[in-house]
Amino acid sequence: MRKVLCRLCPTVFVPPHRSIFPRFFMSSEKGEKLEHPPWSQPSEGNDKGVTVFNSLTGVKNRFLPQEGNQINWYACGPTVYSSAHLGHARAYITFDIIRRILEDYFGYDINYVMNITDVDDKIIFRARRTYLFDEYCANVDKLEFSKVVSDIDEGFSICRSKLLESIGQIKEELKTTPKKQILDKTTILKGEQLKLKNLDKHLLSFRQSSKKGSSELSEILVSGRDYLSELLDHRKGADVRDLSIFKKHSEKYEKEFLEDMRALNIRDADSLTRVTEYIPQIIKFVEKLISNGFAYESNGSVYFDIAAFRAKHPYPRLRPNQLGNVKLLNEGEGSIKPEGVEKKNPIDFALWKKSKGGEPWWESPWAQGRPGWHIECSTMASHLLGSVLDIHSGGEDLCFPHHDNEMAQSEAFYEEIGLKQWVNYFLHAGHLGIDGLKMAKSLKNFITIRQALESSTPRQVRICFLMQSWHKNMDYSTAALQSAASKDKQLQEFFLNLKIAIRRNGLLSASPQGWNSEDTKLNVEILRVQSAVHKSLRDNFDYPLAIKLLFELQNSTNTYLRGETKTLLLRKVGNYLTRMLRIFGVIDDNPMGFPSQSSEPEACLAPFLDLFCSFRDQIREGSKQKDSSNFSQIVSSTQTLLSTLTEDQKSSQGTNDASESKEFREKRENIVSALEEYTSQVLDGVEKGKDPSYYLQISDFVRDNVMPKHGVRMEDPTSSFQIGSVWKLANAETLLREQREKQAQRKEQEILKINRKIKDLTKQFEKFSTAERPFEEQFSLKYPDKEFTRFDEEHLPSHIRVGDKEEAISSKQRKKHQKDLRVFMKSKENSKGPEFLSHLSEEISKLRSNLSEIS
Amino acid sequence: MRKVLCRLCPTVFVPPHRSIFPRFFMSSEKGEKLEHPPWSQPSEGNDKGVTVFNSLTGVKNRFLPQEGNQINWYACGPTVYSSAHLGHARAYITFDIIRRILEDYFGYDINYVMNITDVDDKIIFRARRTYLFDEYCANVDKLEFSKVVSDIDEGFSICRSKLLESIGQIKEELKTTPKKQILDKTTILKGEQLKLKNLDKHLLSFRQSSKKGSSELSEILVSGRDYLSELLDHRKGADVRDLSIFKKHSEKYEKEFLEDMRALNIRDADSLTRVTEYIPQIIKFVEKLISNGFAYESNGSVYFDIAAFRAKHPYPRLRPNQLGNVKLLNEGEGSIKPEGVEKKNPIDFALWKKSKGGEPWWESPWAQGRPGWHIECSTMASHLLGSVLDIHSGGEDLCFPHHDNEMAQSEAFYEEIGLKQWVNYFLHAGHLGIDGLKMAKSLKNFITIRQALESSTPRQVRICFLMQSWHKNMDYSTAALQSAASKDKQLQEFFLNLKIAIRRNGLLSASPQGWNSEDTKLNVEILRVQSAVHKSLRDNFDYPLAIKLLFELQNSTNTYLRGETKTLLLRKVGNYLTRMLRIFGVIDDNPMGFPSQSSEPEACLAPFLDLFCSFRDQIREGSKQKDSSNFSQIVSSTQTLLSTLTEDQKSSQGTNDASESKEFREKRENIVSALEEYTSQVLDGVEKGKDPSYYLQISDFVRDNVMPKHGVRMEDPTSSFQIGSVWKLANAETLLREQREKQAQRKEQEILKINRKIKDLTKQFEKFSTAERPFEEQFSLKYPDKEFTRFDEEHLPSHIRVGDKEEAISSKQRKKHQKDLRVFMKSKENSKGPEFLSHLSEEISKLRSNLSEIS
């Protein structure tokens, strides 16, 4: 897997290896459970034995819809201010899986509404900044380099001092923080410190590049964009008044979000609700809250009156112990505060915010303004789904204050009808962590969905999340993605192998169907897995367990595949796994309507490919046995079979509508031509009396270069256990890529082999050329660190230089040299003379030129 | 729809039109209900609120499996002695639908076992006769024509006297039949009389053809086959001893049966049990029955002891009042009676039949023999599914004695464990009638599945059966099939129209998503239909009602489609209908495993086809306005857009595995070339200053001749309400066929038009050529029945012949002739002279030659 680079913050690398450690504590943990206000169990709808972890109780509750088979589901959707990241993907994939399980496995009918938050402080900031930055850049020709640098520098300062201020404040708070909140607070501090560190790194590299003068103005603008935008917004943000600027921004990211969801194979909502399309309904909702006595106006803004509400209703339901958490409340309120507001209580939250310059606005009974964050969900859910939701879902971080405030609003709204429980089941997906921190935009530690899909397929991403419990936090890691990729590959191969075994078994009517003990054993395993999967999915959608069970069934079936098999049992396994994987969204949803092409490609291609493989197997087998005597006979019988098959196919066509599509006919025709070409090459070989190697070569060529183009992978048997070659249908592009990779591998091996040979030959050459030399020289070569000054008539060294003097060789040493000499003489005897040497040298240069040709 | 010919009985035609009238009486009717022995309601398994009509109680019972989510289902399969007919198809499709509803809608896991009866008296007869007939024909060269004719004649006699005997016997019985059984008995008599009528008809035509001597020997053999076989079996049947003869016969029809099931999109069983593969288990089962005291041996055969059984258990459970029905019991025993048997009681039935010559046999503790009919099901079901079945299914005619005897055997077998109820739910599919009789092999009033599939698609057959309650009888009719075909077409068009509306709506992110009252209305309708469908399927699988509801939703959506639409709602409708139609088996099952091609073809082709249509619309609009001035500009902007699209497509390729398949790339490339060709034709027209008609012609050509080849149907707007042309993807073969039909229609219209013109011109020619003649002649022509003998100088008739005399014209008459003359003179004035006449005559002959060219 490639290193993943954060797009907005190019200096931060995500380390390539991380261990995955799902954190097993629940987000609403220790003690809190007791503090949840009472929850009432629905009792009217269809009970299918499902239990679900409900954030409203902190435990698993029996799941029943309000009425019949229908489920009302409101899902918190995206705030469309920038690209969605893997953390978002996890939440959306999680709820997609649960929705599919409820719809396709348990058979509930679901009405699924998702909101799009397209009015929000973050959108306002981002849209304004993008607009101001673009405006700045539009005049780039008139800008001086130094002016731009100093503007960006100023932007850095603004950001830096904001961060420092925040860090100081948190440190101050930590001194008085109660013990059990210290962990949370420290995590926040850590986040702020990471931001500061990133900023300083960024600043450093910016200063270097801007000083050197080697950078272009455009490069400076790109790298300093965020900080320059901060400055521009600081200076001119309040002057941005055109509503379309905000609309354009949110539309762009909504489009991107929907494309991402589609790419991840996430089912469409039945309705998307945009805040900007429900302003009149929101205003009415707020008016009702005021008239019910749960909200008040303050200087053109409207606030929810927590004290008034708490006098009659429990609050907060989801996180009772967060009541006074002003930090979280403030985050929920957004960073743009209306002017001149006086809240009755600091924990009151905004329902309507009066807009100042640089903010979008709509007319209202109070002031020109816009909705607070929480009010949209209460309004839109009520508008589309009525007064009680069966399921409300969102990421874990939305619990407080967002979801608690939504519930307060809705209960306040439905005061008259005495609504006690707006949401029956509140589902919160665990978050995706990275380095122990939550993956988040603000921490710049995220990987966008698009980045992730550059190196992983959507199926791999989904399998990765399927292996983790939905309501528990998990850490992101490339190891987890790699493991998912390998599981994906395993499943693919498994299905292909099932299909091969089924084809090999031939017609049902021509093979025994009575069950032996192996068949019974596999059937018992199927029943066991089906029951256990059923139990696991009823138990709070425990899909990691279900996936584990499916892989167990896969393994048992692999064992079963080693013996004789029953086609019907293989189909049962294959169809069951396909069904479950489709329910989990691993296999794509069915297209809507009637299929535009009829049968499976396998069905119409199988007889042709079987014939192809059988012909090729016979040719290869004969070549290996060095016996090509019956090849022309094999060719002729194959040709006869082929023409029979083709006739059959023609006569079965046109009898009814469901005849095969043009695409598959073309594919079949390609395969037939390839086989014809191949048989004629074999015949050609027979006529010309070719070597067995010729046939093996053309057979390899067919496998490696011809069939992949037609989307067919041929696999030769890898052990004597296998009977013959097999074929698998796959995407032609994938096969060609596999082929290229295989060829590259083969080339590498070839290069290695030649290099090894060159090394060998060079060694030989050195050995033999040395043996040809005078013995005196050979002594000097053997002892390169000694200098022999004189030799005797036996060619043995007699004197040696020591320092600047000459010494006689000791008798002990002389004996050793006599041994050396015997070796030299032996070598000289064995030496093959200068002709052999020149032969060796030729060989070596031949190999070297081979090598350069290959690479 | 074509006339359907019975294959085995070519002189019997099935009348093409019959009204469908489901018979609303149940097979187990009036009074019987009270006599069913007590039934105990399972209570442990998953309750999903389903009720089912249970033949064991004659009422609807709450459906629960024995345990958990698993259903054990044993289905009575075919006796493979000849081709399956539509009556069989109805039963198998019915249970396929119920199985899919339980599996895919209610989410039960089903273990589905189906038996194949491959030892049976009918198989023995058929196999033997086929074998003997083939043997006879093998020596056809040595046979004399007259000998063959006399053999066949003898065969006729044998069959005829058997039938006469049977008819006489039934008539005799009728005299003493109790009143309430008279209807049944009369139906049987009617059947036998039909057989006799058919035989006599057949005999007559055979005698004629054999006398004339105009027939070949081979023709005689084909038409007399059944009767000759009867004779041969009569003479030599007992000498047929080779087991493989029987095996070959059953294997052939098993293969055909399984192919038929596949063609009808019926799900595979999880296990097929052939009787011949379970002989040892059957013998053990019989031994146990003997040791339990419920069976006894008699001269090498073994019989079930009804009296002993009835002393402890109720019998018959399903049809209590059929206890003494020896006729049905005998039919159940098969037509081959073991020799030398003494039954304790005439209603005891065979468990093991001692075989004589001409019958297959296996060793046993009693005599060489073969299993009775009922024992196989008890044994094989126990072997694979254990001691209690959740569901046992079969055609209504199997109730008694087959299923009642199965139950008796199994309860007797499980005596020790005190089994009280072998089957919890016994499901019997209503039969398919034809002309008030059950469709049956013996009555030769059947249509084989293969015959039916020559004129209907499998989908149409299924839709036809889906419109009838599963447990009620129905009558076959071509009208019902035609109505199903039109429903099928309706659905197809509906899905295509949905897709067009979705494409027209464009991107979700660029269109409003807030719901108006029409959206809300449609959503309410969806929820209503979903709830009602859920209710209907729980109520004894009332799928005719469910189908009716789905069509209601389709109609409401068609209304909705006339206004502005929301894509998400359209998808919701489309996906829901697709899901339900898939559950009913109307849309094919998903292929096993991962798809070998990724996305829907629509997705990658849409932008290209949209561009194509928009270009073509502009060209057609311009041509109609007779303004081609901006055509070159339209061409150039289209070409620019096209190259942008092509670039986009290229750059989006190869980024991951899920890239489009080769097939769709080729399709897209074909569409691109077609568009390029079309634009260059337009440009060519502009350069050469062609007439507007030229552009309309090439635009029609593209629609009619080019695009169908690529699987694209272009439809021009048929009303001003529609905005532009639309495209639909479909099977290329279907489109080409549609195209041919359209062309044939057009040709017919063209011929009509020319004929009309010829008639007009001929009339004109006659009129003008008459006007040129002398007035005297014109008077004669005008009054062909009068003979004017003299004319005056004014050219008026003065005398007329009356009888053989001449009379003067009366003055009244003369006045009338003066009026005539004025008309003649007027015509002469208006006449355009001989040149015009020859012009007319030329025109006419030109048209005549056109006509002969076209036809």
Side-chain angles (χ1 to χ4, degrees), chain A residues 27 158-159 199 309 378 456 538 551 617 654 685 759 801 820:
Chain A
S27 32
I158 293 173
C159 294
L199 181 137
F309 184 74
S378 296
S456 300
R538 279 177 152 199
F551 274 100
D617 286 346
K759 211 172 148 195
R801 178 177 306 276
D820 287 339

Side-chain angles (χ1 to χ4, degrees), chain A residues 268 571 590 657 665 733, chain B residues 268 571 590 665 733 737:
Chain A
D268 289 329
R571 285 218 194 111
N590 302 306
D657 262 19
R665 195 176 57 232
E733 276 72 18
Chain B
D268 288 329
R571 285 217 194 110
N590 303 306
R665 196 176 56 234
E733 276 73 18
R737 211 198 48 225

Side-chain angles (χ1 to χ4, degrees), chain A residues 46-48 69-70 103-105 107 109-111 251 254-255 258 262 268-272 274 277-278 384 453-454 457 459 488 491-492 495 498-499 502 507-515 523 527 530-531 534 538 568-572 574-576 578-579 581-582 586-588 590-598 600-601 655-657 659-667 670 709-710 729-734 737, chain B residues 46-48 69-70 103-105 107 109-111 251 254-255 258 262 268-272 274 277-278 384 453-454 457 459 488 491-492 495 498-499 502 507-515 523 527 530-531 534 538 568-572 574-576 578-579 581-582 586-588 590-598 600-601 655-657 659-667 670 709-710 730-734 737:
Chain A
N46 288 356
D47 184 356
K48 307 197 181 182
N69 205 46
Q70 294 275 354
E103 278 186 330
D104 296 357
Y105 188 83
D109 296 314
I110 298 181
N111 205 359
E251 204 172 294
E254 183 190 315
K255 176 168 177 281
L258 292 172
R262 183 53 67 95
D268 289 329
D270 298 317
S271 180
L272 287 177
R274 289 185 195 121
E277 292 179 336
Y278 287 86
L384 283 152
L453 291 184
E454 278 168 23
T457 65
R459 197 154 72 197
D488 178 33
L491 286 170
Q492 278 188 54
F495 282 121
L498 270 191
K499 287 180 189 173
I502 289 170
L507 284 181
L508 281 181
S509 53
S511 46
Q513 296 302 324
W515 278 8
N523 191 51
L527 302 186
Q530 285 181 333
S531 286
H534 185 70
R538 279 177 152 199
L568 292 173
L569 274 172
L570 295 180
R571 285 218 194 111
K572 185 171 190 176
N575 287 332
Y576 176 67
T578 304
R579 178 179 157 229
L581 290 172
R582 192 179 293 276
V586 174
I587 296 179
D588 281 2
N590 302 306
M592 192 172 85
F594 292 175
S596 61
Q597 79 214 5
S598 50
E600 289 183 65
T655 49
N656 64 33
D657 262 19
S659 68
E660 51 164 10
S661 69
K662 189 168 164 249
E663 286 82 14
F664 289 115
R665 195 176 57 232
E666 281 174 9
K667 191 165 205 158
N670 286 334
K709 274 190 287 185
H710 306 313
L729 289 186
N731 187 295
E733 276 72 18
T734 313
R737 211 199 46 224
Chain B
N46 288 358
D47 184 355
K48 306 196 182 181
N69 205 46
Q70 294 275 351
E103 279 188 330
D104 296 356
Y105 188 83
D109 296 314
I110 298 181
N111 204 0
E251 205 172 293
E254 183 189 315
K255 178 168 176 280
L258 293 172
R262 183 56 63 97
D268 288 329
D270 297 318
S271 181
L272 286 176
R274 285 185 197 121
E277 291 180 337
Y278 287 88
L384 283 152
L453 291 185
E454 278 168 23
T457 66
R459 200 155 70 197
D488 178 34
L491 286 169
Q492 278 188 55
F495 282 121
L498 270 191
K499 286 180 190 174
I502 289 171
L507 284 180
L508 282 180
S509 52
S511 45
Q513 296 301 324
W515 279 8
N523 191 52
L527 302 185
Q530 284 181 333
S531 286
H534 186 70
R538 280 177 150 197
L568 291 173
L569 274 173
L570 296 179
R571 285 217 194 110
K572 185 170 190 177
N575 288 331
Y576 176 68
T578 303
R579 177 177 159 232
L581 290 173
R582 193 179 294 275
V586 174
I587 296 179
D588 282 3
N590 303 306
M592 191 171 86
F594 291 174
S596 61
Q597 79 216 4
S598 48
E600 289 183 65
T655 49
N656 64 32
D657 262 18
S659 68
E660 53 164 9
S661 70
K662 190 170 163 249
E663 286 81 14
F664 288 115
R665 196 176 56 234
E666 281 174 11
K667 192 164 203 156
N670 286 334
K709 275 192 287 185
H710 307 312
N731 188 295
E733 276 73 18
T734 314
R737 211 198 48 225

